[in-house]
Amino acid sequence: MALTGWPHLRILSWLVACALLLLAVPVTTLLMVVEGDIHVDLYVNGVYILQDGTVPVIPLNGLRRVIAETATARVMSSTKNIQAGDLIALRVLGNPFPMRNVTDLLGKVREYSHFTGAILVGEDGTMSTSAFKCSTDRESNDVAKIPFYSKNYNDSHWAYAYEQPDECCPWRDPDEAWRQVGAKWIGMPPSSYGGNISGPRFFNCRYTVPGNTTSSRLPVEQTVSASESAPFLNITSVVTATSMSMIMFHVDREAHVYCGLIDARYQLRTPTHLELKSWGGAKLNSLGPQWVFKEFGDEDFTTEEIDYPGIDRVDADDLEHCERKCMNRGEECMALVFHAVGKDTTTGTNCKLLNGTYDASKRKDPSEWALFQQRRKVSEKQINSITVSGMLLPGTIYNVFCSAEDAFTGDHSNITTIADAMITMRTEGCFDCGSTNPPQVTLLGGFAKMNMIGIVAKASRTGRIFCNAFEITNVTEEEPLVVTSQKIRQADFFNILTVSGASVGVAITGLKPKTHYEVACVAEADGGLESPIESIQSTRREIWTENTVVTVNSMKIRRETQPSDSNVDQIIASLQLTSFGYMYCNTFPSESMMMLGVPDQEMLKEIGLKAKIVDLQSDAAALWEDLDKNTSYDVWCTAEFDDFKNESLGESILSPFPVATVLDVQVGYDSVDVTVSVSKGPAEIYCKVFPWALRPTTERPFPPPTQGQMWTSKHKTQLLLPLGGSVIINIPGLMSGMYYDLYCYSEVYQPPVAFGMVTPPKQGMDSDMISRTRRSFIVKGPLFDEMGWSCVSGHTCSIEHVMGNGLSEMDQVMVRSDECPGRCACSGEVDPNRKGALCSAISQDPVVMAGVGLSDRQDPRGQWCYVEPGACRDEEESSHFPGMMLSYKVCSYNATVGKDAERFVPGFPNGGLAKRRKDRGGREFDFSTEPMVAAGGLYNLCWCNGTESSCKSESDFKLRLGGLHYNGPSATQAKSNMTCRVGLPCVLSHFDGHALSEGSRVVVLPEDPRGCLWQKRSVADPPGIEGFPNWGVSEVFNDTRRDFTFFSVPLVVPGGRYNLCWCGPPKQGMVKAPGKEYRMPDGIVPPPCPDSRPDGGGQFLAPAGQLVVLGPVPRETS
């Protein structure tokens, strides 16, 4: 594309301090609001989180507008997706003066201690409470000097935070902006103040994220009584006035109900029950369904009595008295017949009570002397109401939330239930009711990333701006893409416009990398009036998503008259980036963008201005001057990471081929993320890991890999940018706790050659260069043991000598009969219908949008969500959105573990959850310290990191520690029949079990309900079956023939059925190899099972089926 005549461009990089009437493009998956007495910094996993200074209002779940420019609270955002185990850290600075004077409403001056504090709330449920840990330590007190905000810092000696009371600091939150969230101001505990009455002037705090759902991240006090068994609530309607609102609802039983309204523009997240209880309106003892009497059809009086016998006949003063008598009988009485005229001729009574089996269609012949009033008793929902005071704005969207609390148990709605019951309403009226002009929407520019497109747009009236992206497939001149307001609004990507003419950012997420889309926007004014079709059409742009990481976090665009020349305009674009590197931007006539499409990253790098970004706390900006006032312009930008290491004339610059450098290695529990930069492009980049040898000695693999070995790696990518750049390569499927060496390699990218052509020789790094990329690392978590552990049915069961990296006393282990969850987890990705981020049973049908249809349009296969490709064994491609993988199995991992688990391996106590041995560093666990019996087989041992998760659900037990070989008869064997004949030696062949050893035996016992716990009745009775060799105890198991024999002696016993019980010798002892990272047998051969069965059963406890002896059955005598 040839571009000529562009205005002069000038690069700027400064801290934007002026008030831009703009909003950031909300591309974040992390959004938090923080405030400190003077200053507070936020870190996540050691990464400094930028303030989103482009957000015009602070979202704190209120009704009032809190202007971000003048507020002391700050919105912090990042594209990082917070996971369980991530670290949130705060650096808090306070006022240097320990005391502060405050004048109260009566003019009296009071002196307060000037405590240092901070408060935090996140849209994910995180809130500052005493669960945080705080200290004045800045770094570790050793040679490593690990900073407090690093995940590797050990805060075990830190004290828990102190929740500062509201009355301590009356200067805080004068507008009550924080009133409607449950976060607490926290600080150092008073015990640490020493001689300073106001405590330290600075401190640092740390908090480990406990889970991956909103409910798991809420403070404990917010969820302790949350229960799915709480009263069910349904909001039926809302009536609003200027200063109050009436909310109508019904509940399924008596309950305390709390309701409130939140301006949708200022909502951060769904409020909790306790939050609604603190600031919402209340209706105590709200009525559930009540019994009432209804007529049969339209009849009030009739001469045809229901022909059905009554449960009782009584006298009543009137119909109401008869109804009370029926009501007093509870559900025993479900209908009545009252004689309005006359009485029953047999009993002389006038009130007949009927039970619920009556048939109202069966009537007696019309009576000539009696007149009846007949009523049926039905349960009717009661409409309750709550009046909520508060000044509401006209033409404004509000979200209405309610929560119910059981009046007797205190169980209340959880946050998911509260969100499901929410309704949205718009107040009547408008701010500019006299205007009938529809809002004009204008697209100003934006940027594209791998999975999203950020749009900056403005509108002529306040309200909302919606944008959407439509994949361009099979679009022709004969069948063009039709874009309507309804299609744009369908995906619900929008932002609030609080000032007309201002610009806002709209993030369109859930897109596919390197895919052709067309975007369009529509504005909706307060009151619901939409942009005309010609205005919508002017926003249409064709744009490609990228296939490499784009480091733009937010973007602002401002157009104004040029100060030096009022006849022309200037445009300022300001970008906030997530990492160091380069930014590329340019302006284009909007008409050209509509016809030619938006330039991609590669073209922007060629024709756009280039800015080097070295300060992430300042916005990077570009200025275009001398622009024609009568021409509309778009601004499109991109950005990439660069560490600037290769900017000198070193080896990588002089090399004719791209040279790879490993910049960073982020190690997980089963994978590693490698950041690799290459000196030039286009390049093909390979990375490969090599495990260290553990047996017989622990040593690294040698020699370094060759080019040929690197070519075999599945972990590769392409960087087609001519100036090089950086990429992140994820290497999954690693063994937890294992040592690895990492190498990377790059070569000149060669496009595929035509069939039959000779592939040209490759130009890439040599072996010496490859060896210099080596990085060594240890995968986090326990070391997977391919030998596994063993237990024996009828004995105690434990696992010992667990090895690995970063084990702790908090870790836990459970046993499963199927695979451990591993990487199988919801990816958080949503489809264009905003579904699939979390587990839900909502239908996948595109007609059913997210948030509706949960009751009437459910997926028949149950709950599902989208997952990363290759993460779940049952994954399948979405039938509606090709390329997106979904799983049903992943949602089963939300089940609880432990004694309350609904599913577990039969025979294992505590739901299969092992108990930690105290002071063993997370290396020894007991499933049972008493003899236990379970089916023989190979089970999986799944490990949970107790320092990063609560270990309360199956999804927390991700990693497979190894196999558990449970020695004993299989479940099939325990249900099978084996046969022997009287007069012949008994041989039990094809005995089905797991890891049966030569020291095991079986015993034949009488068929008795006590099974393997059978005991003889008296001391004089025989210890087993008379006539059976050795009283029914077999010889030891023959591992060669896989059978049990009974000394080759013919059977002389009555024919019939007998119980078989198995005994196994103790498990083989294991010890840690001295100085090695593996276990080995202790060399002691376990003794075989005894040749006689003890009276208490001993270890002959495992059911092994039944023995059917074919032969004469003695006749019973009387």
Side-chain angles (χ1 to χ4, degrees):
M1 181 187 298
L3 300 173
T4 60
W6 294 106
H8 173 66
L9 306 178
R10 186 169 65 200
I11 301 291
L12 300 175
S13 181
W14 71 92
L15 181 63
V16 178
C18 56
L20 303 178
L21 298 179
L22 306 162
L23 284 175
V25 176
V27 293
T28 68
T29 51
L30 179 154
L31 181 66
M32 292 184 173
V33 181
V34 298
E35 183 177 350
D37 281 306
I38 296 297
H39 181 79
V40 59
D41 288 332
L42 174 67
Y43 301 84
V44 174
N45 293 337
V47 177
Y48 177 80
I49 304 301
L50 299 169
Q51 176 185 358
D52 196 342
T54 59
V55 175
V57 293
I58 305 295
L60 281 173
N61 280 8
L63 294 175
R64 299 178 182 177
R65 179 182 302 177
V66 181
I67 303 299
E69 185 180 355
T70 57
T72 52
R74 296 185 294 159
V75 177
M76 318 295 278
S77 64
S78 169
T79 56
K80 175 177 171 54
N81 185 19
I82 291 185
Q83 302 289 337
D86 285 351
L87 173 74
I88 296 174
L90 299 174
R91 183 174 73 97
V92 186
L93 303 180
N95 194 293
F97 304 102
M99 306 301 292
R100 177 166 180 164
N101 293 332
V102 177
T103 303
D104 63 19
L105 297 177
L106 300 178
K108 184 178 179 180
V109 178
R110 295 185 57 188
E111 188 177 58
Y112 288 84
S113 297
H114 202 160
F115 298 111
T116 301
I119 189 170
L120 173 148
V121 63
E123 67 173 354
D124 66 336
T126 301
M127 289 191 279
S128 53
T129 65
S130 57
F132 280 57
K133 285 186 170 184
C134 297
S135 171
T136 55
D137 292 349
R138 294 187 174 93
E139 58 188 15
S140 60
N141 189 24
D142 55 22
V143 294
K145 300 298 180 185
I146 301 173
F148 77 93
Y149 49 76
S150 169
K151 288 187 71 174
N152 296 325
Y153 183 90
N154 182 1
D155 62 6
S156 59
H157 62 288
W158 283 26
Y160 285 101
Y162 171 67
E163 295 183 5
Q164 298 171 347
D166 296 338
E167 61 272 17
C168 81
C169 313
W171 60 87
R172 290 176 178 165
D173 198 20
D175 297 324
E176 297 185 328
W178 289 90
R179 173 176 174 262
Q180 297 195 181
V181 294
K184 304 295 183 182
W185 283 86
I186 59 173
M188 294 287 292
S191 59
S192 66
Y193 289 4
N196 187 343
I197 192 173
S198 300
R201 300 293 85 202
F202 77 92
F203 60 86
N204 304 309
C205 294
R206 289 167 53 92
Y207 177 72
T208 301
V209 178
N212 285 323
T213 62
T214 301
S215 58
S216 66
R217 295 181 181 181
L218 288 169
V220 174
E221 59 268 25
Q222 297 283 343
T223 61
V224 65
S225 296
S227 173
E228 294 184 357
S229 62
F232 174 79
L233 177 146
N234 182 48
I235 303 173
T236 57
S237 62
V238 179
V239 178
T240 61
T242 304
S243 58
M244 64 180 58
S245 304
M246 180 176 290
I247 303 169
M248 272 73 77
F249 62 92
H250 57 73
V251 288
D252 65 349
R253 64 180 186 272
E254 183 177 348
H256 302 326
V257 176
Y258 307 89
C259 296
L261 286 78
I262 296 176
D263 190 318
R265 298 171 296 181
Y266 315 140
Q267 182 174 325
L268 179 68
R269 57 157 170 78
T270 299
T272 67
H273 172 79
L274 293 185
E275 289 171 344
L276 285 170
K277 192 172 182 178
S278 68
W279 55 264
K283 175 71 173 180
L284 303 182
N285 302 113
S286 298
L287 296 177
Q290 302 292 308
W291 291 111
V292 297
F293 288 92
K294 297 284 187 180
E295 299 171 355
F296 288 95
D298 296 327
E299 68 177 30
D300 188 6
F301 295 88
T302 181
T303 59
E304 298 178 355
E305 181 184 3
I306 295 175
D307 189 10
Y308 194 83
I311 58 174
D312 200 0
R313 288 183 178 270
V314 295
D315 260 325
D317 298 334
D318 51 26
L319 174 62
E320 183 179 356
H321 189 197
C322 184
E323 289 176 347
R324 287 200 303 271
K325 287 182 176 292
C326 181
M327 194 71 74
N328 292 337
R329 301 290 287 266
E331 294 186 15
E332 181 186 16
C333 178
M334 297 303 294
L336 61 86
V337 177
F338 177 71
H339 292 251
V341 176
K343 291 191 176 184
D344 180 74
T345 57
T346 304
T347 63
T349 59
N350 63 353
C351 178
K352 180 171 72 170
L353 308 181
L354 306 177
N355 62 24
T357 61
Y358 70 90
D359 185 353
S361 65
K362 295 181 179 180
R363 303 292 181 102
K364 295 181 179 180
D365 294 334
S367 173
E368 296 180 356
W369 53 268
L371 191 63
F372 307 100
Q373 289 178 286
Q374 304 181 121
R375 301 291 185 265
R376 55 192 173 92
K377 189 168 72 172
V378 296
S379 178
E380 187 172 77
K381 295 179 180 178
Q382 302 297 299
I383 299 298
N384 300 272
S385 65
I386 291 178
T387 299
V388 179
S389 60
M391 189 68 68
L392 304 184
L393 302 177
T396 302
I397 298 173
Y398 292 90
N399 292 331
V400 183
F401 296 92
C402 290
S403 181
E405 177 181 327
D406 191 292
F408 303 99
T409 67
D411 290 346
H412 59 72
S413 306
N414 58 36
I415 196 167
T416 302
T417 305
I418 296 172
D420 290 342
M422 180 204 79
I423 66 170
T424 299
M425 44 80 67
R426 185 195 294 270
T427 53
E428 297 181 354
C430 49
F431 287 103
D432 53 349
C433 294
S435 174
T436 58
N437 295 325
Q440 300 295 320
V441 60
T442 305
L443 191 147
L444 302 177
F447 57 91
K449 304 183 75 162
M450 293 180 66
N451 301 106
M452 65 84 62
I453 295 173
I455 298 296
V456 181
K458 69 176 183 179
S460 59
R461 293 179 60 179
T462 59
R464 296 188 291 179
I465 294 180
F466 294 79
C467 296
N468 201 357
F470 307 92
E471 185 175 351
I472 298 178
T473 55
N474 301 322
V475 176
T476 63
E477 292 184 1
E478 292 75 22
E479 296 182 9
L481 177 65
V482 178
V483 175
T484 64
S485 170
Q486 182 179 5
K487 287 185 177 180
I488 296 173
R489 296 170 60 112
Q490 187 176 22
D492 213 29
F493 299 123
F494 73 94
N495 209 335
I496 304 293
L497 185 64
T498 58
V499 179
S500 61
S503 58
V504 297
V506 179
I508 306 171
T509 59
L511 307 182
K512 294 185 288 188
K514 205 58 181 176
T515 304
H516 195 190
Y517 289 92
E518 184 169 5
V519 298
C521 299
V522 61
E524 177 199 59
D526 293 331
L529 198 60
E530 291 184 346
S531 303
I533 188 62
E534 60 269 20
S535 180
I536 296 174
Q537 294 297 324
S538 69
T539 66
R540 295 178 65 166
R541 306 285 191 275
E542 292 189 21
I543 185 171
W544 284 79
T545 50
E546 301 297 340
N547 63 349
T548 58
V549 175
V550 175
T551 59
V552 180
N553 185 60
S554 66
M555 182 176 178
K556 302 179 293 186
I557 301 173
R558 183 182 67 182
R559 181 170 181 169
E560 60 187 21
T561 299
Q562 189 167 309
S564 60
D565 186 352
S566 60
N567 296 318
V568 294
D569 283 352
Q570 65 180 21
I571 292 180
I572 300 174
S574 303
L575 280 78
Q576 191 178 67
L577 305 187
T578 58
S579 62
F580 302 131
Y582 288 99
M583 174 194 79
Y584 307 87
C585 293
N586 214 335
T587 58
F588 306 88
S590 299
E591 187 175 356
S592 298
M593 295 296 95
M594 294 173 62
M595 293 187 298
L596 303 176
V598 176
D600 61 10
Q601 184 183 54
E602 184 176 358
M603 179 163 288
L604 282 172
K605 291 178 66 174
E606 292 179 4
I607 65 175
L609 65 92
K610 180 180 180 181
K612 185 176 183 178
I613 309 304
V614 295
D615 181 8
L616 296 182
Q617 298 192 37
S618 300
D619 284 354
L623 173 67
W624 291 267
E625 296 180 318
D626 303 322
L627 300 177
D628 182 9
K629 280 183 171 292
N630 298 319
T631 301
S632 296
Y633 294 92
D634 283 14
V635 179
W636 295 94
C637 296
T638 189
E640 64 179 7
F641 168 81
D642 198 308
D643 63 349
F644 314 119
K645 289 183 177 180
N646 298 323
E647 293 191 347
S648 60
L649 292 178
E651 179 186 56
S652 61
I653 299 297
L654 298 176
S655 171
F657 47 80
V659 176
T661 303
V662 178
L663 300 179
D664 186 46
V665 177
Q666 292 292 328
V667 183
Y669 289 92
D670 60 357
S671 65
V672 62
D673 287 331
V674 185
T675 303
V676 185
S677 71
V678 289
S679 58
K680 61 188 64 179
E684 191 101 29
I685 306 165
Y686 301 77
C687 287
K688 192 170 185 177
V689 294
F690 299 85
W692 285 37
L694 296 181
R695 295 182 175 91
T697 59
T698 303
E699 58 183 20
R700 68 162 21 105
F702 189 83
T706 63
Q707 280 185 336
Q709 289 175 294
M710 297 301 296
W711 289 336
T712 64
S713 174
K714 297 183 295 184
H715 312 296
K716 61 182 180 179
T717 189
Q718 299 167 357
L719 186 65
L720 304 181
L721 306 174
L723 299 179
S726 62
V727 296
I728 297 177
I729 297 178
N730 175 263
I731 304 178
L734 303 186
M735 188 183 299
S736 62
M738 188 68 177
Y739 291 79
Y740 286 91
D741 277 350
L742 164 75
Y743 294 90
C744 290
Y745 163 80
S746 61
E747 64 186 19
V748 176
Y749 169 73
Q750 295 179 356
V753 298
F755 178 75
M757 299 294 291
V758 177
T759 303
K762 296 186 177 183
Q763 301 180 65
M765 298 165 59
D766 58 26
S767 297
D768 181 60
M769 291 176 133
I770 295 173
S771 68
R772 280 183 268 164
T773 68
R774 186 182 72 193
R775 291 286 192 94
S776 299
F777 61 89
I778 308 175
V779 183
K780 296 180 180 178
L783 178 62
F784 174 81
D785 195 317
E786 66 274 14
M787 295 177 58
W789 284 261
S790 64
C791 287
V792 181
S793 190
H795 295 256
T796 61
C797 184
S798 61
I799 60 174
E800 300 167 333
H801 304 300
V802 177
M803 289 172 281
N805 175 28
L807 306 182
S808 76
E809 292 281 347
M810 301 298 293
D811 300 338
Q812 296 200 46
V813 174
M814 70 173 293
V815 64
R816 296 183 67 103
S817 57
D818 58 353
E819 68 272 9
C820 304
R823 293 171 50 236
C824 187
C826 295
S827 65
E829 184 180 15
V830 297
D831 57 33
N833 292 328
R834 308 297 297 274
K835 294 185 291 187
L838 299 173
C839 284
S840 170
I842 189 171
S843 171
Q844 297 177 44
D845 190 336
V847 174
V848 181
M849 299 301 294
V852 300
L854 290 176
S855 60
D856 58 346
R857 294 295 300 275
Q858 293 188 347
D859 191 307
R861 296 168 62 186
Q863 293 193 350
W864 62 276
C865 71
Y866 290 116
V867 296
E868 296 291 341
C872 302
R873 290 194 177 184
D874 73 325
E875 69 179 20
E876 59 187 71
E877 189 173 28
S878 169
S879 58
H880 299 288
F881 302 102
M884 301 186 74
M885 308 303 293
L886 61 88
S887 167
Y888 292 89
K889 176 73 173 178
V890 64
C891 298
S892 69
Y893 295 139
N894 294 329
T896 58
V897 300
K899 62 179 182 180
D900 298 325
E902 295 182 358
R903 58 178 187 178
F904 51 86
V905 178
F908 282 82
N910 197 31
L913 183 65
K915 295 183 179 180
R916 298 180 294 256
R917 290 185 183 175
K918 189 177 180 181
D919 300 327
R920 293 296 189 271
R923 299 178 183 276
E924 297 180 9
F925 300 86
D926 291 312
F927 283 105
S928 177
T929 55
E930 299 292 333
M932 59 169 281
V933 175
L938 176 60
Y939 300 97
N940 285 317
L941 295 173
C942 305
W943 179 85
C944 171
N945 184 346
T947 60
E948 297 186 4
S949 65
S950 60
C951 299
K952 294 296 180 63
S953 66
E954 292 182 13
S955 60
D956 295 328
F957 293 79
K958 299 180 183 299
L959 296 183
R960 184 169 183 254
L961 187 62
L964 177 63
H965 297 275
Y966 201 81
N967 305 0
S970 67
T972 302
Q973 176 64 42
K975 298 177 182 179
S976 65
N977 294 325
M978 309 198 82
T979 305
C980 287
R981 293 179 179 273
V982 173
L984 297 176
C986 184
V987 179
L988 304 182
S989 302
H990 309 295
F991 192 89
D992 188 27
H994 184 79
L996 303 176
S997 65
E998 292 194 356
S1000 61
R1001 302 177 188 266
V1002 294
V1003 64
V1004 182
L1005 297 175
E1007 186 180 30
D1008 186 275
R1010 291 171 293 181
C1012 295
L1013 297 178
W1014 174 86
Q1015 290 183 337
K1016 59 185 182 180
R1017 294 182 179 180
S1018 67
V1019 177
D1021 288 341
I1025 305 295
E1026 288 191 78
F1028 223 103
N1030 197 31
W1031 298 108
V1033 178
S1034 73
E1035 299 176 75
V1036 294
F1037 180 70
N1038 190 305
D1039 193 43
T1040 303
R1041 298 193 308 268
R1042 306 292 296 174
D1043 62 20
F1044 290 98
T1045 59
F1046 292 84
F1047 305 96
S1048 301
V1049 177
L1051 286 184
V1052 186
V1053 295
R1057 303 180 71 90
Y1058 299 86
N1059 288 334
L1060 289 174
C1061 297
W1062 180 88
C1063 168
K1067 66 181 180 181
Q1068 172 69 59
M1070 302 291 288
V1071 295
K1072 184 178 182 294
K1076 312 299 180 186
E1077 292 299 319
Y1078 60 88
R1079 298 178 302 129
M1080 54 184 268
D1082 60 7
I1084 301 175
V1085 178
C1089 281
D1091 57 4
S1092 62
R1093 178 181 180 271
D1095 289 340
Q1099 272 73 49
F1100 289 87
L1101 300 178
Q1106 287 197 321
L1107 174 65
V1108 179
V1109 176
L1110 303 180
V1113 178
R1115 181 178 299 175
E1116 295 184 2
T1117 59
S1118 57

